[in-house]
Amino acid sequence: MNEMPKRAQSKIVDSPAAAVEGIADGATVLIGGFGVLQGWPSSAIAALRARGTRGLTVIANTPGFGPLSPQVLFENGQVRKLVASFGGFPYRMTPAEEMIGRGEVELELVPQGTLVERVRCGGAGIPAFYTPTGVGTEVARGKEAREIGGKPYLLEHAIRADWALVRAAAADAAGNLVFHGSSRNFNPVWAMGARATIAEVDEIVALGDLDPERVVTPGIFVDRVFRSTVRMNRAELIDMIRKLGRQSPEAGAMPGIPPDLMALRAAALFAEGDIVNLGIGLPTQCSNYVHGRAVTLHAENGVLGYGPFPEPGREDIDLYSAGGQLVTALPGASYFHSADAFAMARGGRVDKIVLGGFQVAANGDLANWKAPHQRAGTIGGAMDLAAGGGEIVVLMFHTTKSGASKLVAECTYPLTARACVAHVVTNLALIDVVAGKGFVLREVAPGVSIEEVRQSTAASLHVPEDVREMDFGA
Amino acid sequence: MNEMPKRAQSKIVDSPAAAVEGIADGATVLIGGFGVLQGWPSSAIAALRARGTRGLTVIANTPGFGPLSPQVLFENGQVRKLVASFGGFPYRMTPAEEMIGRGEVELELVPQGTLVERVRCGGAGIPAFYTPTGVGTEVARGKEAREIGGKPYLLEHAIRADWALVRAAAADAAGNLVFHGSSRNFNPVWAMGARATIAEVDEIVALGDLDPERVVTPGIFVDRVFRSTVRMNRAELIDMIRKLGRQSPEAGAMPGIPPDLMALRAAALFAEGDIVNLGIGLPTQCSNYVHGRAVTLHAENGVLGYGPFPEPGREDIDLYSAGGQLVTALPGASYFHSADAFAMARGGRVDKIVLGGFQVAANGDLANWKAPHQRAGTIGGAMDLAAGGGEIVVLMFHTTKSGASKLVAECTYPLTARACVAHVVTNLALIDVVAGKGFVLREVAPGVSIEEVRQSTAASLHVPEDVREMDFGA
């Protein structure tokens, strides 16, 4: 049995070990953090590892990677089940994913926006809700489907966990939490959704020293606070983050234009005033081509109005995009938590979404979360973003390295969303998906012939008379 | 047809009239504000009145009262329907309530927490959700009921409005909003739930001058901002607020103890560490008896940790409790919006709730929102607070002025919640509601006999041997 903390005059405890006291075998534990290297409640995780508690259900956006992340609980055999929106990562294998592959850890893969909303509802006393996210995909399997107002939705159930381990910038004795930069992500919502919340912070301040207007998580949601004992070499960490950002696949000997020009072409699709969300991988490169334009970048970890990568020496490790890159904040930027970020997305406030893809079908179906070689899958926020009805631009190589077309008559990989794609930008062409017509060629990359595009496309390709050479003008 | 604003580089418009441009006959309009005198988007409301738009559906916590409130739209015959948690007020009649009574305005009365959650869901792309609020009451009529995890819930549908008129402290050209004190209430959620949001602010600042950590409503939810043109005489306003606070019914010649001692006795029920919510009317007086105790006051307009009434001259008109009284903020206080306030309540984080009552039944049923003479009804947040499972203390006179008992075998007035009351504090006695037993007398007021209590109670009253004289010790 979990021994929950009693109400105390001060919620401050003096060590990570004291903070995780009472967590019992079989407990359900929400762990805050987005999935990047930094920002985990790392000393609480280390204390939970030292405690040796077993049979845990870990609920987190990702199992993370590296010694600061929940991975250490997996490596130590303490985890029975993972509930996450990323079971693994695109270009690296982790202990958690290996254990999932071997059947040693059960995986429940949940779209990111659904995950955070399920926990918010758990905290808010709402047992279940309907959502458009995941309709027509594997996520819908076994779930009640229902039409409301003529549109299809799925019933999702709330999650209320035993414990939450969250990470914040500062706290007071009442348990009030403030955050820094775009690192709020799941933390404020996880604090709501647990029977007891443990907050690891960089700084503990005197009661009255936090501006009540700046408090993000009111103390009512927090049971214990303690000062983080993990000290990191900032320069080393920044270097590691940079290297991780580069672990995307090589363009190699692909024909047509290189990735930076593909991103430039995709970014030229943005209109003045657009709110744009950029998916992981290639799409993040579009952020290089919006400076000075009236385009606002939205990232689901909780920032609106982020800007270019910081100059060396001016990095802020708490200010990153959903792709994990360190970014800057432009004038007019704002920060928020993941539930609000997905309210914006699902609520239809994001105008354009650039996503990577494994396959796009002629009817606009998109498959981008699980290829056959993957053990776990990486749903992330794509399903929720697609559900919001914004225009989806897929940015991907036209074919796999072995030459198989990624533009297909019908997707053979698991779907992200049905009939959602508007444009596909590849190394060979810009292709629109038009209802009733399918793939319609608009532009060919310089040096690429219409015939090459047709041969690389495993579905019928409409070629209007006005096909142009690719236009990179913004 | 409503003409929605186009995306603009700057969202600043230069007059209330320009701000409400495009609002068409028949539009659905969310109006922010809690229901107290101050804090309405008063110049936007005045501009909408001048515009003469008719057939409006107004969605607001209350129709308000006075020339700064939505009442002016009712008086001017512009409103077809009101969706609110208060259709009227306990001790005064308003034009809206009269029109509701005459059938000129349709009323949809919604529990406060359900109202704000329905709009949040509308903004978040969630079409419907289940809630425990209102189960077993008139609110459940016509709604789908469903057991989830062995408990009964109601299905509630999202609201997405055409327009929102909100009030904030400051904005920038990107539409980011910051608030002041406990006046956030519905405003941040209303901004989420409308197709177009118009923000009336005290101050417009340069882009980059708002701390992104302090932004409550990111600009993505706001379409137009303008500077309020309503200037109020602060001293007059404070005087009016004070007078309204005193418009509760006279204790008159009621026997037993006076209201302040009743409140003192109720407050003595609070335990160390308790989070307590105080309902409108008598219960607000409990706030006079918690100073220096480890009791945290929660108010559903969005403040945790409020303190005593301010000294004259130190009032802040944006810092009030849910009863409308101006209050102070104690060290460790925090502010939040209504959706979070009700997440705390419905989610079970509020330990004790003190409510007024029209009737309490021997099985713990509570009726406190509509007496037969009322045309509209005042649900407020009581149903949501009751749904959270906290201990409910009813603080009321034992009888009506005409001598009818308010402690009854079965409620004849519409229910607030079933079997929810734990304690009843009256001018005559402290009575517990005990499952299987009904009313159990614990304490009699000084000078009151057990027989008097029995005669004033219209249900069987268990009188244990250890009944004491009322204990006011905290």
Side-chain angles (χ1 to χ4, degrees):
Chain A
M1 277 295 288
N2 294 288
E3 287 171 49
M4 295 298 169
K6 294 198 176 58
R7 280 279 168 69
Q9 276 279 68
S10 167
K11 295 175 178 175
I12 301 165
V13 297
D14 61 6
S15 70
V20 300
E21 220 172 86
I23 304 185
D25 288 353
T28 302
V29 185
L30 295 154
I31 303 184
F34 192 70
V36 293
L37 272 180
Q38 68 278 30
W40 295 104
S42 302
S43 24
I45 292 170
L48 186 55
R49 181 184 161 118
R51 196 175 158 81
T53 318
R54 306 183 76 80
L56 299 173
T57 294
V58 167
I59 305 169
N61 187 38
T62 86
F65 46 88
L68 302 174
S69 81
Q71 286 289 349
V72 300
L73 300 173
F74 289 83
E75 285 171 327
N76 201 35
Q78 294 176 260
V79 182
R80 185 187 73 74
K81 182 177 176 179
L82 170 67
V83 181
S85 86
F86 290 83
F89 291 92
Y91 314 122
R92 62 189 75 91
M93 184 57 69
T94 62
E97 190 167 0
E98 281 174 9
M99 295 170 89
I100 291 162
R102 289 196 300 268
E104 293 163 19
V105 168
E106 183 188 341
L107 172 67
E108 181 181 344
L109 209 57
V110 183
Q112 198 172 126
T114 298
L115 182 61
V116 71
E117 191 64 20
R118 286 176 66 190
V119 177
R120 181 192 172 276
C121 285
I126 292 168
F129 61 94
Y130 289 95
T131 180
T133 302
V135 166
T137 74
E138 275 192 17
V139 162
R141 200 178 291 160
K143 286 180 187 148
E144 177 186 313
R146 179 170 187 157
E147 274 210 1
I148 299 175
K151 288 185 189 165
Y153 296 97
L154 302 177
L155 183 67
E156 293 282 358
H157 284 83
I159 294 172
R160 183 116 188 196
D162 298 317
W163 301 88
L165 311 181
V166 303
R167 182 75 193 248
D172 62 19
N176 293 305
L177 304 182
V178 298
F179 294 83
H180 181 61
S182 66
S183 66
R184 294 184 194 179
N185 58 68
F186 295 80
N187 293 293
V189 180
W190 273 195
M192 294 173 74
R195 290 166 59 210
T197 292
I198 299 160
E200 173 168 344
V201 299
D202 295 326
E203 196 186 357
I204 293 177
V205 303
L207 208 63
D209 277 4
L210 292 180
D211 177 358
E213 306 282 1
R214 260 205 58 182
V215 169
V216 171
T217 294
I220 197 170
F221 293 124
V222 176
D223 298 88
R224 291 176 185 153
V225 301
F226 75 99
R227 194 151 179 275
S228 181
T229 56
V230 171
R231 295 283 167 270
M232 291 171 298
N233 181 318
R234 200 173 152 281
E236 252 176 45
L237 192 63
I238 290 169
D239 195 50
M240 284 169 73
I241 295 167
R242 281 241 185 70
K243 281 184 187 141
L244 281 168
R246 279 200 296 269
Q247 288 188 7
S248 51
E250 297 291 309
M254 288 291 187
I257 53 173
D260 54 347
L261 285 184
M262 292 165 63
L264 175 62
R265 182 61 194 96
L269 293 169
F270 307 156
E272 185 169 322
D274 270 355
I275 311 269
V276 175
N277 184 290
L278 304 174
I280 294 178
L282 272 184
T284 58
Q285 295 197 31
C286 294
S287 68
N288 294 328
Y289 306 111
V290 298
H291 308 162
R293 297 171 62 190
V295 166
T296 304
L297 296 178
H298 167 273
E300 60 267 35
N301 50 313
V303 55
L304 191 69
Y306 70 87
F309 302 148
E311 288 168 34
R314 308 205 61 172
E315 298 91 347
D316 177 343
I317 60 162
D318 289 327
L319 184 42
Y320 48 84
S321 68
Q325 279 91 358
L326 297 180
V327 295
T328 49
L330 298 176
S334 57
Y335 305 124
F336 35 88
H337 58 53
S338 302
D340 282 348
F342 281 102
M344 297 172 187
R346 210 189 300 101
R349 305 265 176 181
V350 179
D351 303 297
K352 293 209 172 70
I353 302 130
V354 186
L355 296 172
F358 293 147
Q359 292 179 322
V360 175
N363 70 343
D365 285 358
L366 169 65
N368 86 342
W369 66 274
K370 196 176 180 188
H373 70 275
Q374 290 183 296
R375 296 181 190 172
T378 55
I379 289 184
M383 286 189 185
D384 310 278
L385 284 155
E391 202 171 275
I392 293 186
V393 179
V394 172
L395 183 58
M396 64 179 190
F397 291 107
H398 211 101
T399 59
T400 64
K401 278 177 203 157
S402 54
S405 179
K406 297 169 78 171
L407 289 94
V408 295
E410 211 169 313
C411 291
T412 54
Y413 294 175
L415 291 188
T416 302
R418 292 192 182 273
C420 66
V421 178
H423 311 284
V424 186
V425 175
T426 75
N427 49 319
L428 303 184
L430 165 64
I431 290 171
D432 286 355
V433 177
V434 178
K437 281 193 175 171
F439 292 130
V440 177
L441 183 62
R442 296 296 183 202
E443 301 176 2
V444 290
V448 173
S449 69
I450 291 175
E451 196 43 41
E452 277 177 88
V453 176
R454 200 190 293 276
Q455 281 179 8
S456 299
T457 304
S460 81
L461 180 72
H462 293 260
V463 182
E465 284 190 4
D466 60 349
V467 170
R468 289 161 305 183
E469 180 162 300
M470 199 169 271
D471 175 11
F472 296 99
Chain B
M1 278 294 287
N2 293 290
E3 286 171 48
M4 295 298 170
K6 294 198 175 57
R7 282 279 168 68
Q9 275 280 68
S10 167
K11 295 175 178 175
I12 301 165
V13 297
D14 60 7
S15 70
V20 300
E21 221 173 82
I23 303 186
D25 287 354
T28 301
V29 185
L30 295 155
I31 302 185
F34 191 69
V36 292
L37 272 179
Q38 68 278 29
W40 296 104
S42 301
S43 24
I45 292 170
L48 186 55
R49 181 185 161 115
R51 194 176 160 82
T53 318
R54 304 184 76 81
L56 298 174
T57 295
V58 168
I59 305 169
N61 187 38
T62 87
F65 45 89
L68 302 174
S69 80
Q71 286 289 350
V72 301
L73 300 173
F74 289 83
E75 285 170 327
N76 201 35
Q78 295 176 259
V79 181
R80 185 187 73 72
K81 181 177 177 180
L82 170 66
V83 182
S85 86
F86 290 82
F89 292 91
Y91 314 121
R92 61 189 76 89
M93 184 57 69
T94 62
E97 189 167 1
E98 282 174 8
M99 296 170 87
I100 291 163
R102 290 196 300 267
E104 293 163 19
V105 168
E106 182 188 341
L107 172 66
E108 181 182 344
L109 210 56
V110 184
Q112 198 171 125
T114 298
L115 182 61
V116 71
E117 191 64 21
R118 286 176 65 190
V119 176
R120 181 192 172 273
C121 284
I126 291 169
F129 61 95
Y130 289 96
T131 180
T133 303
V135 166
T137 75
E138 275 192 17
V139 161
R141 200 181 291 160
K143 286 178 186 151
E144 177 185 314
R146 179 171 187 156
E147 274 209 1
I148 300 174
K151 289 186 188 161
Y153 296 96
L154 302 176
L155 183 67
E156 294 282 359
H157 285 84
I159 294 173
R160 183 116 189 196
D162 298 317
W163 301 87
L165 311 181
V166 303
R167 181 76 191 247
D172 62 18
N176 293 305
L177 304 182
V178 298
F179 294 83
H180 181 59
S182 66
S183 67
R184 294 184 194 179
N185 58 67
F186 295 81
N187 293 293
V189 180
W190 274 195
M192 294 172 74
R195 289 166 60 211
T197 292
I198 298 160
E200 174 169 344
V201 299
D202 295 326
E203 196 187 356
I204 292 176
V205 303
L207 207 64
D209 277 4
L210 293 181
D211 177 359
E213 306 281 0
R214 261 206 60 182
V215 170
V216 170
T217 293
I220 196 170
F221 293 124
V222 177
D223 298 89
R224 291 176 185 152
V225 300
F226 76 100
R227 195 153 178 273
S228 182
T229 56
V230 172
R231 294 284 166 270
M232 292 170 296
N233 181 318
R234 200 173 153 280
E236 253 175 47
L237 192 63
I238 289 168
D239 195 49
M240 286 169 71
I241 296 167
R242 280 238 185 73
K243 280 183 189 142
L244 280 169
R246 280 199 296 269
Q247 288 187 5
S248 51
E250 296 291 307
M254 288 292 188
I257 53 172
D260 53 348
L261 285 184
M262 292 164 60
L264 175 62
R265 181 62 194 94
L269 292 169
F270 307 157
E272 185 169 320
D274 271 355
I275 311 269
V276 176
N277 183 290
L278 303 175
I280 294 179
L282 274 184
T284 58
Q285 296 197 31
C286 294
S287 68
N288 294 328
Y289 308 110
V290 297
H291 309 163
R293 297 173 60 191
V295 166
T296 304
L297 296 179
H298 166 273
E300 60 268 34
N301 51 313
V303 54
L304 192 70
Y306 70 86
F309 303 148
E311 289 168 34
R314 308 204 62 171
E315 298 92 346
D316 178 343
I317 61 163
D318 289 327
L319 184 42
Y320 48 85
S321 67
Q325 279 90 358
L326 297 180
V327 294
T328 48
L330 298 176
S334 57
Y335 305 124
F336 36 88
H337 57 55
S338 302
D340 282 348
F342 282 101
M344 296 171 188
R346 211 190 297 102
R349 306 264 177 182
V350 180
D351 302 298
K352 293 209 172 68
I353 302 130
V354 187
L355 296 172
F358 293 147
Q359 292 179 323
V360 175
N363 69 343
D365 286 358
L366 170 66
N368 86 342
W369 67 273
K370 197 176 180 189
H373 70 274
Q374 291 184 295
R375 296 180 189 171
T378 55
I379 290 185
M383 287 190 186
D384 311 278
L385 284 155
E391 202 170 273
I392 293 187
V393 179
V394 172
L395 183 58
M396 64 179 189
F397 291 107
H398 212 101
T399 60
T400 65
K401 277 178 205 159
S402 55
S405 180
K406 297 170 78 172
L407 289 93
V408 295
E410 210 169 312
C411 291
T412 54
Y413 294 175
L415 292 188
T416 303
R418 290 191 183 275
C420 66
V421 178
H423 312 284
V424 186
V425 175
T426 76
N427 48 319
L428 304 184
L430 165 64
I431 290 172
D432 286 355
V433 177
V434 177
K437 280 194 177 171
F439 292 129
V440 177
L441 183 63
R442 297 296 183 203
E443 301 176 4
V444 291
V448 172
S449 70
I450 291 176
E451 197 44 39
E452 277 178 89
V453 177
R454 201 191 293 277
Q455 282 178 8
S456 298
T457 303
S460 78
L461 180 71
H462 293 259
V463 182
E465 287 190 5
D466 60 348
V467 170
R468 289 160 303 181
E469 181 162 300
M470 199 170 269
D471 175 12
F472 297 98

